[in-house]
Amino acid sequence: MNCVRLVNRKHRLEADESCWTRELVWIDENTQLQPVCARALNDWITHCGGEAEVTFVSGWRSYDQQRTIMTDTENERGWDYAHQFVAEVRASEHHTGLAIDLGIAGKDQDLICPDFSGPLADRMRECADQFGFIFRYPKHKTEITGISEEPWHYRYVGVPHAQIIADHDWVLEEYAAFLKAYTQARPYLYDDGQRRWQLWTQPLTETLPPTENTSVESSQLDESTCLFVKALDPDPMLEGRDRAWVELDGGALRHNLTVLRKAMAPHQEIMAVLKANAYGHGLKLTADFLSRQGVRHFAVATIEEAKVIRAINPTAEILILGYVPPQRAAEVSRLRLSLTLTSYDQACQLDQTGFTINAHLPIDTGMHRLGEAAEDLDAIVRYYSLSHLRITGLYSHLYEADNLDAEAVAHTQAQIDRFFHVADALKQRGIDPGRLHLQGSYGFLNYPELRCDLVRFGIALFGCVAPFRSRMELDLRPVASVHTRIAALRSLRKGEGAGYNHAWTAPYDTTVAILSIGYSDGLFRSSSFQGVEVLIHGQRRPLIGAMCMDQCLVDLGTLPAAIGEEVVVIGVQGSESISALEVAEKNGTIVPETLSMLRGRMPRILV
C-alpha cells in the first residue's frame, strides 16, 4: 500500500482508480478506508477515549463522488469556496482511502467543513503521529498545500513517516521534496527511539532493487518517484508473539459488522454469537470490541461465558443457549441474563425458585434438539403462564440452512413455515412471543427475507463463510490469523526420517523447520497427513510427520529460513493466503470446529 503517496493539484492520481479500491473496508455504514488506515484509526481513537464521541464524516471517495461534491459545492456556495476546501478529481487524498474527515458527535457535521474541535480533538492531534497520522492542512502551510486549514482532515502515512513529519513541522509536500534529495548510496537515517531506519528515493523508470530483502519496503511517492524504507533493526517483538499466537484484525471485524448491518432490514439487530471463546477468536477481546461498535445482543453457551461479557457490557442482553440448572437461578437473575428454556420441567423448576428470570423459548421445528414441538401449541402456551419467567424471545434453528440442494431447501422452508405458524398462533391468542430469531449466519445468507427481529451471527461475523454454501454474496473478511515461529532447523539426507516413529522420510536432501505450535494449541494432529500447508516467506510449505503436542515439522526443501522467523498457519503472507476453510476441508471438518479448537494458551492480539 502506497501510504506516503503525495496527492494534490500538481500530483494527481492515475485515471484508473481500481488500485485504490480493491481492499477497502467499512468502518461504519457510510465510510470506507484502507485496512491499514482503519486499524490505526481504531487504535488512535481508542487510545484517546473517543469511541463514543468521534464520528466519521468522510473517508474514501470515488472519482465520481468527488466530481459531484465539487459541482454541488460550486452551485451552492460559489466557486471560490468550493476550490478553497474541495480538491479536484484525482487531486483528492480521499481517493486513496488513507484520509479521514472527523467530527464530534452532536456537532454540526457539514460534509465540507465538519466541526472537529474541543478537548478530544486536541488530544488526538497531539498524538496523531504515534499512530501514523498527520494533520494534513494546517493554517500556516496553506501556501504550500493549496488548501485552507482543515482541522478535521487527517491523512494516514504510517511509521516512521508521521514521526519525521511531526518532528520537523512539515506537511507532506515538504516531506516529499526532502526525501528526493536522498539516494540508496546516501540514504536518510532516522531513529524513532525503538528502531533505526534508512530512507531513499529513485525515479520509477530505474530498475527496482531485488525484493528478497524483506526489511526493505518500496512504495510510490508520486507519479515519478519510488520511495524505499529499510528497517536497520528487527521488528520489536511485541508481548505474546514469541511462540504461537492468534491475531485479530479489528478493521476486518468492524467491516464485517457494517456489511451485515447494511444487508439486514432496518428493524433487525445483530445478536453476536460468541460461544466457544468467540469461535476461537477470544471472548473478552471480541466482546469488548463489538460492544464499542454498538452491539446490544449476545449469545453464548454457558454462564461463565456470559459473565465475561456482563463485566464488559452492563446493559446488553446476553442469551445462554445451553442448559442452566435451577440451582443457578439467583446468579442468573442478579446478572440479568436470559436463559434458554430447554424443557418444561426445567422451566417449572426455575419458576419455583421465585427469582425473576428473562428467558427465550426454543421451538423444535425439525432439528429435535431443544424446545417444544412446533405442532404442540398448547404445550408452548403453558410456558407463558409461569409467573416468575419473562419470555422475551422465541427462536429455532435451521439445521440445513447451509445446504442449497433442493431437498435441503424444502426441509428448511418447512422449518420456517412451522416457526412462523407458532409465532402467529401465539399472537392470535393474545400472547406476545417476544423477539423472533430463526437465522444463524447461513440462515441469513440464504434466507434474508425472513421477518425476524434478531439475527444470530457467529461465523459470518468472523468472515469465514463458504461461498459455495451461500446465495448472498457479501464482502466478508477473515478476522483471525494464526502465527508461530521457527524454533529449530534440521538438515536431512534423502532417506532419513523425522519425528515420532519416523512417520515421514525425506524423499530428497532437504531442510526441516520445527515450528513452535502443535496439537495442544488446537491444530489437528492429522494435519500433516492431510496435505495441510503453512506460509514461510510467502510460500506454501507442507506439514510433515506426526505432529507433536507443542511442535510440528515443515519440509522447507531449498527455501531459506532462519530460527525465530514468523510462520503463518492461517492467514496471509505476501501474495499467498491459507484460509480456515481450506484447513477445515483438508482435515475433513468445518470452519467452526477448526477455529474453536484454537487453545486459550495462544494469546489473542488485536491488530
Side-chain angles (χ1 to χ4, degrees):
M1 175 52 60
N2 297 323
C3 293
V4 198
R5 180 71 180 269
L6 176 61
V7 185
N8 57 29
R9 290 187 180 99
K10 295 180 180 179
H11 298 279
R12 296 174 184 258
L13 296 171
E14 300 82 0
D16 180 6
E17 61 183 317
S18 63
C19 64
W20 299 102
T21 62
R22 295 180 188 127
E23 298 181 351
L24 293 169
V25 295
W26 291 96
I27 61 171
D28 68 12
E29 285 79 358
N30 303 302
T31 314
Q32 289 178 284
L33 291 174
Q34 299 295 342
V36 64
C37 179
R39 287 192 291 268
L41 178 62
N42 189 72
D43 291 342
W44 182 28
I45 292 173
T46 301
H47 174 80
C48 294
E51 297 97 319
E53 200 171 344
V54 173
T55 59
F56 307 128
V57 180
S58 186
W60 171 80
R61 297 176 192 159
S62 69
Y63 289 177
D64 286 343
Q65 287 173 316
Q66 190 70 20
R67 187 176 292 108
T68 299
I69 291 172
M70 175 64 85
T71 302
D72 290 349
T73 307
E74 287 177 345
N75 293 336
E76 295 171 7
R77 306 188 188 187
W79 193 96
D80 289 341
Y81 183 95
H83 289 262
Q84 184 180 6
F85 291 105
V86 181
E88 297 167 6
V89 176
R90 293 172 53 197
S92 171
E93 292 191 322
H94 285 287
H95 297 320
T96 67
L98 297 168
I100 183 71
D101 290 348
L102 301 173
I104 297 295
K107 292 189 175 184
D108 181 20
Q109 299 308 328
D110 178 71
L111 176 64
I112 307 303
C113 296
D115 187 346
F116 189 61
S117 60
L120 173 63
D122 293 341
R123 289 198 307 274
M124 290 185 65
R125 181 171 300 181
E126 289 174 3
C127 65
D129 63 293
Q130 299 175 30
F131 298 90
F133 287 90
I134 58 173
F135 174 34
R136 183 65 178 94
Y137 301 121
K139 185 175 183 180
H140 65 294
K141 301 282 186 175
T142 298
E143 290 186 4
I144 299 173
T145 64
I147 299 290
S148 293
E149 181 184 24
E150 294 191 356
W152 54 85
H153 182 99
Y154 283 87
R155 165 69 186 275
Y156 180 81
V157 294
V159 294
H161 311 290
Q163 293 101 317
I164 299 173
I165 291 171
D167 288 350
H168 293 84
D169 189 29
W170 283 335
V171 288
L172 193 53
E173 285 81 359
E174 294 172 299
Y175 183 50
F178 167 78
L179 289 172
K180 288 182 179 181
Y182 292 91
T183 64
Q184 187 172 13
R186 191 178 70 87
Y188 173 64
L189 301 177
Y190 180 71
D191 188 334
D192 66 8
Q194 290 186 316
R195 304 176 78 187
R196 295 169 301 147
W197 307 84
Q198 283 185 347
L199 298 90
W200 69 91
T201 59
Q202 70 178 45
L204 278 174
T205 54
E206 293 184 10
T207 303
L208 299 182
T211 57
E212 285 80 8
N213 190 341
T214 57
S215 66
V216 177
E217 293 184 2
S218 64
S219 60
Q220 194 173 339
L221 182 61
D222 59 28
E223 64 277 7
S224 63
T225 311
C226 193
L227 170 65
F228 298 90
V229 181
K230 179 179 181 180
L232 298 179
D233 303 300
D235 239 336
M237 188 177 294
L238 302 180
E239 184 178 356
R241 289 183 167 95
D242 56 336
R243 181 189 167 273
W245 68 98
V246 178
E247 289 186 3
L248 305 180
D249 186 340
L253 183 53
R254 189 203 294 261
H255 168 85
N256 293 344
L257 187 64
T258 301
V259 167
L260 293 170
R261 280 172 167 163
K262 289 167 73 71
M264 295 164 64
H267 72 279
Q268 291 180 312
E269 290 191 75
I270 286 175
M271 175 175 276
V273 182
L274 302 186
K275 57 186 179 179
N277 198 24
Y279 288 76
H281 290 69
L283 176 58
K284 185 176 181 180
L285 202 61
T286 305
D288 179 63
F289 188 93
L290 293 175
S291 293
R292 287 189 280 111
Q293 308 308 317
V295 174
R296 303 191 306 156
H297 304 273
F298 295 88
V300 292
T302 70
I303 290 182
E304 284 62 41
E305 291 174 331
K307 289 164 73 172
V308 172
I309 301 177
R310 178 58 77 219
I312 294 167
N313 191 326
T315 60
E317 178 187 29
I318 306 171
L319 173 63
I320 299 172
L321 296 170
Y323 170 74
V324 174
Q327 289 83 351
R328 304 195 72 172
E331 188 177 14
V332 168
S333 181
R334 175 175 56 81
L335 293 171
R336 291 170 289 107
L337 306 177
S338 296
L339 296 187
T340 288
L341 300 177
T342 58
S343 69
Y344 187 65
D345 286 344
Q346 178 225 22
C348 290
Q349 291 170 4
L350 289 166
D351 186 62
Q352 289 165 9
T353 66
F355 293 102
T356 300
I357 293 174
N358 292 331
H360 287 217
L361 180 60
I363 303 300
D364 182 5
T365 57
M367 189 173 185
H368 306 315
R369 185 169 65 177
L370 296 177
E372 296 290 344
E375 295 77 12
D376 195 345
L377 188 62
D378 289 337
I380 294 170
V381 167
R382 58 183 175 168
Y383 284 83
Y384 290 87
S385 64
L386 297 173
S387 57
H388 295 102
L389 298 185
R390 295 178 60 250
I391 299 179
T392 59
L394 188 77
Y395 76 97
S396 190
H397 189 67
L398 302 176
Y399 63 92
E400 281 187 292
D402 63 343
N403 189 337
L404 297 177
D405 292 342
E407 185 178 0
V409 170
H411 292 165
T412 300
Q413 190 58 56
Q415 283 191 273
I416 293 169
D417 293 343
R418 293 185 196 111
F419 178 75
F420 284 108
H421 174 76
V422 170
D424 292 340
L426 289 173
K427 292 175 184 177
Q428 290 171 6
R429 294 197 184 193
I431 297 172
D432 179 6
R435 290 191 180 92
L436 305 181
H437 50 109
L438 179 60
Q439 301 143 296
S441 292
Y442 285 104
F444 178 79
L445 294 171
N446 291 323
Y447 305 91
E449 71 281 359
L450 302 184
R451 50 185 176 89
C452 294
D453 302 300
L454 301 171
V455 180
R456 302 188 303 268
F457 284 122
I459 206 66
L461 199 56
F462 299 116
C464 291
V465 297
F468 55 87
R469 295 182 180 275
S470 172
R471 287 196 183 102
M472 187 184 294
E473 294 183 7
L474 295 181
D475 178 24
L476 301 174
R477 312 280 177 87
V479 171
S481 56
V482 181
H483 306 252
T484 186
R485 295 195 183 275
I486 296 176
L489 297 168
R490 294 288 181 267
S491 296
L492 268 65
R493 295 288 187 186
K494 180 179 179 179
E496 287 190 292
Y500 285 119
N501 301 314
H502 280 189
W504 182 83
T505 301
Y508 39 69
D509 292 351
T510 189
T511 300
V512 171
I514 291 81
L515 308 185
S516 295
I517 191 170
Y519 62 77
S520 64
D521 296 294
L523 303 191
F524 289 94
R525 191 170 184 268
S526 61
S527 293
S528 49
F529 303 108
Q530 305 297 332
V532 175
E533 299 170 306
V534 298
L535 297 177
I536 301 175
H537 284 278
Q539 296 187 37
R540 288 172 171 261
R541 298 308 304 168
L543 293 175
I544 57 171
M547 184 176 294
C548 308
M549 181 178 285
D550 308 305
Q551 288 94 27
C552 60
L553 284 64
V554 174
D555 178 16
L556 292 179
T558 59
L559 183 68
I563 292 173
E565 279 195 68
E566 183 176 327
V567 178
V568 172
V569 179
I570 295 175
V572 178
Q573 193 179 63
S575 59
E576 269 287 1
S577 65
I578 294 175
S579 67
L581 177 61
E582 175 187 330
V583 174
E585 290 186 333
K586 286 185 175 180
N587 281 305
T589 184
I590 57 175
V591 171
E593 181 181 13
T594 299
L595 294 175
S596 62
M597 288 288 287
L598 298 175
R599 298 290 191 265
R601 77 175 187 177
M602 286 195 294
R604 268 60 174 178
I605 301 171
L606 187 65
V607 298

